PDB file of all heavy atoms in Angstrom:
ATOM      1  N   VAL A   1      -4.177  11.823   4.716  1.00 93.00           N
ATOM      2  CA  VAL A   1      -3.269  11.561   5.880  1.00 93.00           C
ATOM      3  C   VAL A   1      -3.232  10.083   6.226  1.00 93.00           C
ATOM      4  O   VAL A   1      -2.107   9.572   6.504  1.00 93.00           O
ATOM      5  CB  VAL A   1      -3.736  12.427   7.042  1.00 93.00           C
ATOM      6  CG1 VAL A   1      -3.073  12.018   8.318  1.00 93.00           C
ATOM      7  CG2 VAL A   1      -3.676  13.938   6.789  1.00 93.00           C
ATOM      8  N   ILE A   2      -4.373   9.479   6.066  1.00 92.00           N
ATOM      9  CA  ILE A   2      -4.350   8.005   6.460  1.00 92.00           C
ATOM     10  C   ILE A   2      -3.394   7.233   5.459  1.00 92.00           C
ATOM     11  O   ILE A   2      -2.746   6.246   5.785  1.00 92.00           O
ATOM     12  CB  ILE A   2      -5.787   7.420   6.390  1.00 92.00           C
ATOM     13  CG1 ILE A   2      -6.582   7.988   7.596  1.00 92.00           C
ATOM     14  CG2 ILE A   2      -5.766   5.937   6.564  1.00 92.00           C
ATOM     15  CD1 ILE A   2      -7.984   7.653   7.594  1.00 92.00           C
ATOM     16  N   TYR A   3      -3.412   7.653   4.206  1.00 90.00           N
ATOM     17  CA  TYR A   3      -2.589   7.051   3.240  1.00 90.00           C
ATOM     18  C   TYR A   3      -1.024   7.163   3.552  1.00 90.00           C
ATOM     19  O   TYR A   3      -0.289   6.242   3.431  1.00 90.00           O
ATOM     20  CB  TYR A   3      -2.851   7.621   1.832  1.00 90.00           C
ATOM     21  CG  TYR A   3      -1.853   7.126   0.815  1.00 90.00           C
ATOM     22  CD1 TYR A   3      -1.970   5.848   0.250  1.00 90.00           C
ATOM     23  CD2 TYR A   3      -0.682   7.858   0.395  1.00 90.00           C
ATOM     24  CE1 TYR A   3      -1.112   5.341  -0.679  1.00 90.00           C
ATOM     25  CE2 TYR A   3       0.102   7.457  -0.602  1.00 90.00           C
ATOM     26  CZ  TYR A   3      -0.101   6.138  -1.136  1.00 90.00           C
ATOM     27  OH  TYR A   3       0.898   5.669  -2.050  1.00 90.00           O
ATOM     28  N   LEU A   4      -0.794   8.337   4.141  1.00 90.00           N
ATOM     29  CA  LEU A   4       0.525   8.517   4.519  1.00 90.00           C
ATOM     30  C   LEU A   4       1.016   7.648   5.731  1.00 90.00           C
ATOM     31  O   LEU A   4       2.118   7.082   5.716  1.00 90.00           O
ATOM     32  CB  LEU A   4       0.793  10.085   4.965  1.00 90.00           C
ATOM     33  CG  LEU A   4       0.802  11.134   3.824  1.00 90.00           C
ATOM     34  CD1 LEU A   4       0.878  12.438   4.554  1.00 90.00           C
ATOM     35  CD2 LEU A   4       1.967  10.867   2.942  1.00 90.00           C
ATOM     36  N   ASN A   5       0.021   7.541   6.645  1.00 91.00           N
ATOM     37  CA  ASN A   5       0.338   6.587   7.775  1.00 91.00           C
ATOM     38  C   ASN A   5       0.527   5.097   7.320  1.00 91.00           C
ATOM     39  O   ASN A   5       1.451   4.464   7.698  1.00 91.00           O
ATOM     40  CB  ASN A   5      -0.779   6.657   8.676  1.00 91.00           C
ATOM     41  CG  ASN A   5      -0.967   7.919   9.405  1.00 91.00           C
ATOM     42  OD1 ASN A   5      -2.040   8.599   9.413  1.00 91.00           O
ATOM     43  ND2 ASN A   5       0.065   8.430  10.050  1.00 91.00           N
ATOM     44  N   LEU A   6      -0.370   4.707   6.398  1.00 88.00           N
ATOM     45  CA  LEU A   6      -0.135   3.251   5.920  1.00 88.00           C
ATOM     46  C   LEU A   6       1.190   3.193   5.065  1.00 88.00           C
ATOM     47  O   LEU A   6       1.851   2.053   5.176  1.00 88.00           O
ATOM     48  CB  LEU A   6      -1.285   2.845   5.089  1.00 88.00           C
ATOM     49  CG  LEU A   6      -2.719   2.871   5.658  1.00 88.00           C
ATOM     50  CD1 LEU A   6      -3.768   2.575   4.666  1.00 88.00           C
ATOM     51  CD2 LEU A   6      -2.710   1.836   6.846  1.00 88.00           C
ATOM     52  N   ASP A   7       1.586   4.110   4.317  1.00 86.00           N
ATOM     53  CA  ASP A   7       2.748   4.093   3.538  1.00 86.00           C
ATOM     54  C   ASP A   7       3.944   3.973   4.523  1.00 86.00           C
ATOM     55  O   ASP A   7       4.954   3.313   4.228  1.00 86.00           O
ATOM     56  CB  ASP A   7       2.889   5.258   2.655  1.00 86.00           C
ATOM     57  CG  ASP A   7       4.069   5.159   1.710  1.00 86.00           C
ATOM     58  OD1 ASP A   7       4.100   4.301   0.829  1.00 86.00           O
ATOM     59  OD2 ASP A   7       4.982   6.029   1.838  1.00 86.00           O
ATOM     60  N   ILE A   8       3.971   4.702   5.683  1.00 87.00           N
ATOM     61  CA  ILE A   8       5.040   4.701   6.600  1.00 87.00           C
ATOM     62  C   ILE A   8       5.064   3.411   7.303  1.00 87.00           C
ATOM     63  O   ILE A   8       6.216   2.864   7.509  1.00 87.00           O
ATOM     64  CB  ILE A   8       4.766   5.884   7.653  1.00 87.00           C
ATOM     65  CG1 ILE A   8       4.985   7.210   6.982  1.00 87.00           C
ATOM     66  CG2 ILE A   8       5.739   5.749   8.820  1.00 87.00           C
ATOM     67  CD1 ILE A   8       4.615   8.375   7.808  1.00 87.00           C
ATOM     68  N   PHE A   9       3.982   2.784   7.547  1.00 85.00           N
ATOM     69  CA  PHE A   9       3.972   1.453   8.159  1.00 85.00           C
ATOM     70  C   PHE A   9       4.699   0.454   7.208  1.00 85.00           C
ATOM     71  O   PHE A   9       5.473  -0.358   7.627  1.00 85.00           O
ATOM     72  CB  PHE A   9       2.568   0.840   8.450  1.00 85.00           C
ATOM     73  CG  PHE A   9       2.058   1.365   9.738  1.00 85.00           C
ATOM     74  CD1 PHE A   9       0.860   1.966   9.790  1.00 85.00           C
ATOM     75  CD2 PHE A   9       2.774   0.999  10.898  1.00 85.00           C
ATOM     76  CE1 PHE A   9       0.415   2.486  11.050  1.00 85.00           C
ATOM     77  CE2 PHE A   9       2.205   1.445  12.171  1.00 85.00           C
ATOM     78  CZ  PHE A   9       1.023   2.083  12.265  1.00 85.00           C
ATOM     79  N   VAL A  10       4.317   0.522   5.860  1.00 82.00           N
ATOM     80  CA  VAL A  10       5.022  -0.341   4.926  1.00 82.00           C
ATOM     81  C   VAL A  10       6.425  -0.347   4.889  1.00 82.00           C
ATOM     82  O   VAL A  10       7.255  -1.145   4.849  1.00 82.00           O
ATOM     83  CB  VAL A  10       4.355  -0.212   3.521  1.00 82.00           C
ATOM     84  CG1 VAL A  10       5.091  -0.941   2.512  1.00 82.00           C
ATOM     85  CG2 VAL A  10       2.971  -0.711   3.565  1.00 82.00           C
ATOM     86  N   GLU A  11       6.882   1.073   4.907  1.00 81.00           N
ATOM     87  CA  GLU A  11       8.347   1.394   4.751  1.00 81.00           C
ATOM     88  C   GLU A  11       9.066   0.967   6.106  1.00 81.00           C
ATOM     89  O   GLU A  11      10.166   0.454   5.983  1.00 81.00           O
ATOM     90  CB  GLU A  11       8.471   2.942   4.640  1.00 81.00           C
ATOM     91  CG  GLU A  11       9.928   3.257   4.441  1.00 81.00           C
ATOM     92  CD  GLU A  11      10.103   4.778   4.327  1.00 81.00           C
ATOM     93  OE1 GLU A  11       8.990   5.482   4.232  1.00 81.00           O
ATOM     94  OE2 GLU A  11      11.257   5.221   4.225  1.00 81.00           O
ATOM     95  N   SER A  12       8.415   1.085   7.236  1.00 79.00           N
ATOM     96  CA  SER A  12       9.126   0.685   8.492  1.00 79.00           C
ATOM     97  C   SER A  12       9.208  -0.813   8.678  1.00 79.00           C
ATOM     98  O   SER A  12      10.215  -1.245   9.285  1.00 79.00           O
ATOM     99  CB  SER A  12       8.298   1.355   9.657  1.00 79.00           C
ATOM    100  OG  SER A  12       6.955   0.829   9.818  1.00 79.00           O
ATOM    101  N   PHE A  13       8.353  -1.574   8.196  1.00 73.00           N
ATOM    102  CA  PHE A  13       8.273  -3.054   8.286  1.00 73.00           C
ATOM    103  C   PHE A  13       9.145  -3.709   7.268  1.00 73.00           C
ATOM    104  O   PHE A  13       9.502  -4.815   7.459  1.00 73.00           O
ATOM    105  CB  PHE A  13       6.889  -3.615   8.203  1.00 73.00           C
ATOM    106  CG  PHE A  13       6.020  -3.208   9.368  1.00 73.00           C
ATOM    107  CD1 PHE A  13       4.602  -3.121   9.226  1.00 73.00           C
ATOM    108  CD2 PHE A  13       6.566  -2.857  10.636  1.00 73.00           C
ATOM    109  CE1 PHE A  13       3.909  -2.734  10.349  1.00 73.00           C
ATOM    110  CE2 PHE A  13       5.819  -2.524  11.699  1.00 73.00           C
ATOM    111  CZ  PHE A  13       4.424  -2.467  11.531  1.00 73.00           C
ATOM    112  N   SER A  14       9.430  -2.990   6.068  1.00 73.00           N
ATOM    113  CA  SER A  14      10.193  -3.742   5.054  1.00 73.00           C
ATOM    114  C   SER A  14      11.652  -3.561   5.080  1.00 73.00           C
ATOM    115  O   SER A  14      12.139  -2.460   5.641  1.00 73.00           O
ATOM    116  CB  SER A  14       9.651  -3.158   3.697  1.00 73.00           C
ATOM    117  OG  SER A  14       9.864  -1.771   3.673  1.00 73.00           O
ATOM    118  N   GLU A  15      12.401  -4.488   4.665  1.00 71.00           N
ATOM    119  CA  GLU A  15      13.881  -4.307   4.521  1.00 71.00           C
ATOM    120  C   GLU A  15      14.277  -3.685   3.308  1.00 71.00           C
ATOM    121  O   GLU A  15      13.421  -3.664   2.217  1.00 71.00           O
ATOM    122  CB  GLU A  15      14.485  -5.783   4.621  1.00 71.00           C
ATOM    123  CG  GLU A  15      14.141  -6.509   5.869  1.00 71.00           C
ATOM    124  CD  GLU A  15      14.760  -7.905   5.889  1.00 71.00           C
ATOM    125  OE1 GLU A  15      15.294  -8.276   4.825  1.00 71.00           O
ATOM    126  OE2 GLU A  15      14.505  -8.635   6.808  1.00 71.00           O
ATOM    127  N   ASP A  16      15.425  -3.115   3.153  1.00 66.00           N
ATOM    128  CA  ASP A  16      15.861  -2.416   1.950  1.00 66.00           C
ATOM    129  C   ASP A  16      15.901  -3.272   0.779  1.00 66.00           C
ATOM    130  O   ASP A  16      15.636  -2.906  -0.310  1.00 66.00           O
ATOM    131  CB  ASP A  16      17.207  -1.797   2.213  1.00 66.00           C
ATOM    132  CG  ASP A  16      17.154  -0.754   3.246  1.00 66.00           C
ATOM    133  OD1 ASP A  16      16.079  -0.022   3.510  1.00 66.00           O
ATOM    134  OD2 ASP A  16      18.232  -0.296   3.918  1.00 66.00           O
ATOM    135  N   SER A  17      16.294  -4.556   0.913  1.00 68.00           N
ATOM    136  CA  SER A  17      16.474  -5.474  -0.221  1.00 68.00           C
ATOM    137  C   SER A  17      15.065  -5.922  -0.742  1.00 68.00           C
ATOM    138  O   SER A  17      14.932  -6.379  -1.901  1.00 68.00           O
ATOM    139  CB  SER A  17      17.285  -6.721   0.133  1.00 68.00           C
ATOM    140  OG  SER A  17      16.647  -7.404   1.157  1.00 68.00           O
ATOM    141  N   LYS A  18      14.047  -5.808   0.122  1.00 71.00           N
ATOM    142  CA  LYS A  18      12.671  -6.272  -0.431  1.00 71.00           C
ATOM    143  C   LYS A  18      11.637  -5.094  -0.574  1.00 71.00           C
ATOM    144  O   LYS A  18      10.455  -5.396  -0.634  1.00 71.00           O
ATOM    145  CB  LYS A  18      12.131  -7.292   0.687  1.00 71.00           C
ATOM    146  CG  LYS A  18      13.026  -8.477   0.822  1.00 71.00           C
ATOM    147  CD  LYS A  18      12.573  -9.443   1.846  1.00 71.00           C
ATOM    148  CE  LYS A  18      13.467 -10.674   1.931  1.00 71.00           C
ATOM    149  NZ  LYS A  18      12.891 -11.645   2.976  1.00 71.00           N
ATOM    150  N   THR A  19      12.116  -3.947  -0.431  1.00 72.00           N
ATOM    151  CA  THR A  19      11.217  -2.734  -0.406  1.00 72.00           C
ATOM    152  C   THR A  19      10.380  -2.698  -1.700  1.00 72.00           C
ATOM    153  O   THR A  19       9.161  -2.439  -1.732  1.00 72.00           O
ATOM    154  CB  THR A  19      12.033  -1.508  -0.215  1.00 72.00           C
ATOM    155  OG1 THR A  19      12.719  -1.529   0.983  1.00 72.00           O
ATOM    156  CG2 THR A  19      11.057  -0.288  -0.237  1.00 72.00           C
ATOM    157  N   GLY A  20      11.042  -2.962  -2.826  1.00 77.00           N
ATOM    158  CA  GLY A  20      10.323  -2.813  -4.115  1.00 77.00           C
ATOM    159  C   GLY A  20       9.258  -3.845  -4.247  1.00 77.00           C
ATOM    160  O   GLY A  20       8.048  -3.440  -4.717  1.00 77.00           O
ATOM    161  N   GLY A  21       9.401  -5.129  -3.844  1.00 80.00           N
ATOM    162  CA  GLY A  21       8.346  -6.032  -3.960  1.00 80.00           C
ATOM    163  C   GLY A  21       7.196  -5.836  -3.011  1.00 80.00           C
ATOM    164  O   GLY A  21       6.077  -6.009  -3.345  1.00 80.00           O
ATOM    165  N   ILE A  22       7.594  -5.432  -1.770  1.00 78.00           N
ATOM    166  CA  ILE A  22       6.621  -5.097  -0.758  1.00 78.00           C
ATOM    167  C   ILE A  22       5.625  -3.943  -1.111  1.00 78.00           C
ATOM    168  O   ILE A  22       4.512  -4.033  -1.062  1.00 78.00           O
ATOM    169  CB  ILE A  22       7.288  -4.946   0.666  1.00 78.00           C
ATOM    170  CG1 ILE A  22       7.842  -6.249   1.136  1.00 78.00           C
ATOM    171  CG2 ILE A  22       6.285  -4.354   1.611  1.00 78.00           C
ATOM    172  CD1 ILE A  22       8.741  -6.055   2.341  1.00 78.00           C
ATOM    173  N   ARG A  23       6.395  -2.885  -1.592  1.00 80.00           N
ATOM    174  CA  ARG A  23       5.614  -1.696  -1.957  1.00 80.00           C
ATOM    175  C   ARG A  23       4.795  -2.003  -3.219  1.00 80.00           C
ATOM    176  O   ARG A  23       3.656  -1.434  -3.440  1.00 80.00           O
ATOM    177  CB  ARG A  23       6.524  -0.583  -2.309  1.00 80.00           C
ATOM    178  CG  ARG A  23       5.804   0.810  -2.528  1.00 80.00           C
ATOM    179  CD  ARG A  23       6.870   1.902  -2.555  1.00 80.00           C
ATOM    180  NE  ARG A  23       7.459   2.062  -1.243  1.00 80.00           N
ATOM    181  CZ  ARG A  23       6.880   2.724  -0.210  1.00 80.00           C
ATOM    182  NH1 ARG A  23       5.740   3.224  -0.435  1.00 80.00           N
ATOM    183  NH2 ARG A  23       7.469   2.835   0.981  1.00 80.00           N
ATOM    184  N   GLY A  24       5.275  -2.900  -4.136  1.00 83.00           N
ATOM    185  CA  GLY A  24       4.405  -3.272  -5.241  1.00 83.00           C
ATOM    186  C   GLY A  24       3.143  -3.930  -4.836  1.00 83.00           C
ATOM    187  O   GLY A  24       2.130  -3.776  -5.405  1.00 83.00           O
ATOM    188  N   ILE A  25       3.286  -4.916  -3.883  1.00 82.00           N
ATOM    189  CA  ILE A  25       2.104  -5.627  -3.367  1.00 82.00           C
ATOM    190  C   ILE A  25       1.168  -4.525  -2.781  1.00 82.00           C
ATOM    191  O   ILE A  25      -0.113  -4.642  -2.962  1.00 82.00           O
ATOM    192  CB  ILE A  25       2.526  -6.644  -2.360  1.00 82.00           C
ATOM    193  CG1 ILE A  25       3.346  -7.756  -3.107  1.00 82.00           C
ATOM    194  CG2 ILE A  25       1.269  -7.331  -1.805  1.00 82.00           C
ATOM    195  CD1 ILE A  25       3.886  -8.803  -2.165  1.00 82.00           C
ATOM    196  N   PHE A  26       1.705  -3.669  -2.010  1.00 82.00           N
ATOM    197  CA  PHE A  26       0.860  -2.626  -1.281  1.00 82.00           C
ATOM    198  C   PHE A  26       0.143  -1.763  -2.322  1.00 82.00           C
ATOM    199  O   PHE A  26      -1.122  -1.607  -2.139  1.00 82.00           O
ATOM    200  CB  PHE A  26       1.849  -1.747  -0.525  1.00 82.00           C
ATOM    201  CG  PHE A  26       1.189  -0.531   0.035  1.00 82.00           C
ATOM    202  CD1 PHE A  26       0.297  -0.652   1.200  1.00 82.00           C
ATOM    203  CD2 PHE A  26       1.499   0.809  -0.367  1.00 82.00           C
ATOM    204  CE1 PHE A  26      -0.240   0.457   1.724  1.00 82.00           C
ATOM    205  CE2 PHE A  26       0.965   1.844   0.243  1.00 82.00           C
ATOM    206  CZ  PHE A  26       0.056   1.696   1.216  1.00 82.00           C
ATOM    207  N   MET A  27       0.688  -1.308  -3.370  1.00 84.00           N
ATOM    208  CA  MET A  27       0.083  -0.533  -4.396  1.00 84.00           C
ATOM    209  C   MET A  27      -0.940  -1.402  -5.202  1.00 84.00           C
ATOM    210  O   MET A  27      -2.058  -0.855  -5.610  1.00 84.00           O
ATOM    211  CB  MET A  27       1.081   0.083  -5.339  1.00 84.00           C
ATOM    212  CG  MET A  27       2.042   1.042  -4.668  1.00 84.00           C
ATOM    213  SD  MET A  27       1.307   2.368  -3.831  1.00 84.00           S
ATOM    214  CE  MET A  27       0.429   3.139  -5.272  1.00 84.00           C
ATOM    215  N   THR A  28      -0.685  -2.755  -5.433  1.00 86.00           N
ATOM    216  CA  THR A  28      -1.574  -3.495  -6.070  1.00 86.00           C
ATOM    217  C   THR A  28      -2.901  -3.779  -5.326  1.00 86.00           C
ATOM    218  O   THR A  28      -3.978  -3.686  -5.897  1.00 86.00           O
ATOM    219  CB  THR A  28      -0.974  -4.845  -6.440  1.00 86.00           C
ATOM    220  OG1 THR A  28       0.186  -4.777  -7.206  1.00 86.00           O
ATOM    221  CG2 THR A  28      -1.892  -5.816  -7.095  1.00 86.00           C
ATOM    222  N   VAL A  29      -2.662  -3.941  -4.024  1.00 83.00           N
ATOM    223  CA  VAL A  29      -3.908  -4.193  -3.162  1.00 83.00           C
ATOM    224  C   VAL A  29      -4.790  -2.891  -3.190  1.00 83.00           C
ATOM    225  O   VAL A  29      -5.928  -2.952  -3.262  1.00 83.00           O
ATOM    226  CB  VAL A  29      -3.387  -4.539  -1.717  1.00 83.00           C
ATOM    227  CG1 VAL A  29      -4.604  -4.403  -0.744  1.00 83.00           C
ATOM    228  CG2 VAL A  29      -2.753  -5.894  -1.573  1.00 83.00           C
ATOM    229  N   ILE A  30      -4.094  -1.817  -3.110  1.00 84.00           N
ATOM    230  CA  ILE A  30      -4.884  -0.451  -3.065  1.00 84.00           C
ATOM    231  C   ILE A  30      -5.605  -0.299  -4.377  1.00 84.00           C
ATOM    232  O   ILE A  30      -6.798   0.114  -4.452  1.00 84.00           O
ATOM    233  CB  ILE A  30      -3.912   0.656  -2.828  1.00 84.00           C
ATOM    234  CG1 ILE A  30      -3.471   0.709  -1.349  1.00 84.00           C
ATOM    235  CG2 ILE A  30      -4.547   2.050  -3.097  1.00 84.00           C
ATOM    236  CD1 ILE A  30      -2.510   1.803  -0.944  1.00 84.00           C
ATOM    237  N   ASN A  31      -4.844  -0.462  -5.528  1.00 85.00           N
ATOM    238  CA  ASN A  31      -5.500  -0.341  -6.851  1.00 85.00           C
ATOM    239  C   ASN A  31      -6.527  -1.251  -7.122  1.00 85.00           C
ATOM    240  O   ASN A  31      -7.533  -0.904  -7.805  1.00 85.00           O
ATOM    241  CB  ASN A  31      -4.426  -0.431  -7.983  1.00 85.00           C
ATOM    242  CG  ASN A  31      -3.529   0.796  -7.899  1.00 85.00           C
ATOM    243  OD1 ASN A  31      -3.968   1.934  -7.649  1.00 85.00           O
ATOM    244  ND2 ASN A  31      -2.209   0.602  -8.112  1.00 85.00           N
ATOM    245  N   ILE A  32      -6.531  -2.453  -6.590  1.00 86.00           N
ATOM    246  CA  ILE A  32      -7.591  -3.487  -6.831  1.00 86.00           C
ATOM    247  C   ILE A  32      -8.863  -2.957  -6.167  1.00 86.00           C
ATOM    248  O   ILE A  32      -9.967  -2.987  -6.665  1.00 86.00           O
ATOM    249  CB  ILE A  32      -7.228  -4.946  -6.310  1.00 86.00           C
ATOM    250  CG1 ILE A  32      -6.133  -5.513  -7.165  1.00 86.00           C
ATOM    251  CG2 ILE A  32      -8.457  -5.781  -6.199  1.00 86.00           C
ATOM    252  CD1 ILE A  32      -5.518  -6.817  -6.649  1.00 86.00           C
ATOM    253  N   ALA A  33      -8.717  -2.478  -4.816  1.00 83.00           N
ATOM    254  CA  ALA A  33      -9.816  -1.968  -4.184  1.00 83.00           C
ATOM    255  C   ALA A  33     -10.424  -0.738  -4.871  1.00 83.00           C
ATOM    256  O   ALA A  33     -11.655  -0.603  -4.932  1.00 83.00           O
ATOM    257  CB  ALA A  33      -9.496  -1.626  -2.711  1.00 83.00           C
ATOM    258  N   ILE A  34      -9.547   0.117  -5.355  1.00 83.00           N
ATOM    259  CA  ILE A  34     -10.066   1.350  -6.109  1.00 83.00           C
ATOM    260  C   ILE A  34     -10.741   0.994  -7.354  1.00 83.00           C
ATOM    261  O   ILE A  34     -11.767   1.648  -7.783  1.00 83.00           O
ATOM    262  CB  ILE A  34      -8.851   2.288  -6.399  1.00 83.00           C
ATOM    263  CG1 ILE A  34      -8.260   2.875  -5.088  1.00 83.00           C
ATOM    264  CG2 ILE A  34      -9.080   3.434  -7.277  1.00 83.00           C
ATOM    265  CD1 ILE A  34      -7.080   3.685  -5.239  1.00 83.00           C
ATOM    266  N   ALA A  35     -10.349  -0.058  -7.995  1.00 85.00           N
ATOM    267  CA  ALA A  35     -11.068  -0.585  -9.363  1.00 85.00           C
ATOM    268  C   ALA A  35     -12.371  -1.212  -9.014  1.00 85.00           C
ATOM    269  O   ALA A  35     -13.289  -0.949  -9.757  1.00 85.00           O
ATOM    270  CB  ALA A  35     -10.163  -1.524 -10.018  1.00 85.00           C
ATOM    271  N   VAL A  36     -12.457  -1.867  -7.968  1.00 84.00           N
ATOM    272  CA  VAL A  36     -13.707  -2.680  -7.590  1.00 84.00           C
ATOM    273  C   VAL A  36     -14.736  -1.734  -6.903  1.00 84.00           C
ATOM    274  O   VAL A  36     -15.967  -1.896  -7.195  1.00 84.00           O
ATOM    275  CB  VAL A  36     -13.332  -3.904  -6.764  1.00 84.00           C
ATOM    276  CG1 VAL A  36     -14.648  -4.649  -6.327  1.00 84.00           C
ATOM    277  CG2 VAL A  36     -12.486  -4.843  -7.437  1.00 84.00           C
ATOM    278  N   ALA A  37     -14.270  -0.799  -6.018  1.00 81.00           N
ATOM    279  CA  ALA A  37     -15.197  -0.035  -5.291  1.00 81.00           C
ATOM    280  C   ALA A  37     -16.216   0.737  -6.098  1.00 81.00           C
ATOM    281  O   ALA A  37     -17.449   0.833  -5.741  1.00 81.00           O
ATOM    282  CB  ALA A  37     -14.434   0.870  -4.371  1.00 81.00           C
ATOM    283  N   PRO A  38     -15.859   1.389  -7.215  1.00 78.00           N
ATOM    284  CA  PRO A  38     -16.893   2.112  -7.963  1.00 78.00           C
ATOM    285  C   PRO A  38     -17.981   1.231  -8.500  1.00 78.00           C
ATOM    286  O   PRO A  38     -19.218   1.648  -8.682  1.00 78.00           O
ATOM    287  CB  PRO A  38     -16.026   2.797  -9.063  1.00 78.00           C
ATOM    288  CG  PRO A  38     -14.669   2.914  -8.495  1.00 78.00           C
ATOM    289  CD  PRO A  38     -14.418   1.766  -7.710  1.00 78.00           C
ATOM    290  N   PHE A  39     -17.655   0.047  -8.837  1.00 80.00           N
ATOM    291  CA  PHE A  39     -18.734  -0.763  -9.366  1.00 80.00           C
ATOM    292  C   PHE A  39     -19.652  -1.150  -8.267  1.00 80.00           C
ATOM    293  O   PHE A  39     -20.905  -1.116  -8.483  1.00 80.00           O
ATOM    294  CB  PHE A  39     -18.049  -2.135  -9.880  1.00 80.00           C
ATOM    295  CG  PHE A  39     -17.318  -1.911 -11.186  1.00 80.00           C
ATOM    296  CD1 PHE A  39     -15.975  -1.922 -11.174  1.00 80.00           C
ATOM    297  CD2 PHE A  39     -17.976  -1.892 -12.348  1.00 80.00           C
ATOM    298  CE1 PHE A  39     -15.299  -1.716 -12.414  1.00 80.00           C
ATOM    299  CE2 PHE A  39     -17.322  -1.766 -13.594  1.00 80.00           C
ATOM    300  CZ  PHE A  39     -15.979  -1.708 -13.612  1.00 80.00           C
ATOM    301  N   MET A  40     -19.148  -1.427  -7.061  1.00 81.00           N
ATOM    302  CA  MET A  40     -20.009  -1.645  -5.972  1.00 81.00           C
ATOM    303  C   MET A  40     -20.938  -0.415  -5.629  1.00 81.00           C
ATOM    304  O   MET A  40     -22.064  -0.626  -5.264  1.00 81.00           O
ATOM    305  CB  MET A  40     -19.193  -2.041  -4.685  1.00 81.00           C
ATOM    306  CG  MET A  40     -18.483  -3.359  -4.873  1.00 81.00           C
ATOM    307  SD  MET A  40     -17.616  -3.807  -3.312  1.00 81.00           S
ATOM    308  CE  MET A  40     -18.935  -3.958  -2.267  1.00 81.00           C
ATOM    309  N   ALA A  41     -20.247   0.713  -5.782  1.00 76.00           N
ATOM    310  CA  ALA A  41     -21.094   1.936  -5.514  1.00 76.00           C
ATOM    311  C   ALA A  41     -22.164   2.059  -6.507  1.00 76.00           C
ATOM    312  O   ALA A  41     -23.287   2.526  -6.218  1.00 76.00           O
ATOM    313  CB  ALA A  41     -20.105   3.181  -5.509  1.00 76.00           C
TER     314      ALA A  41
END
């Protein structure tokens, strides 16, 4: 559910012409944390 909330925030703050780039940064940030966190664990 928290992921849905964050995704809605990104969609509401972004403009239609820049949605692709903004969402790409959003997914990159999430995937970097997902890749690093298991090593820390």
Side-chain angles (χ1 to χ4, degrees):
V1 171
I2 292 173
Y3 174 78
L4 290 176
N5 292 126
L6 296 176
D7 187 67
I8 292 171
F9 274 125
V10 172
E11 183 180 358
S12 62
F13 292 154
S14 60
E15 300 176 0
D16 293 338
S17 59
K18 300 179 181 179
T19 301
I22 292 171
R23 188 169 295 278
I25 297 174
F26 173 70
M27 297 303 298
T28 302
V29 169
I30 289 179
N31 289 321
I32 289 174
I34 292 175
V36 174
F39 289 100
M40 295 184 63

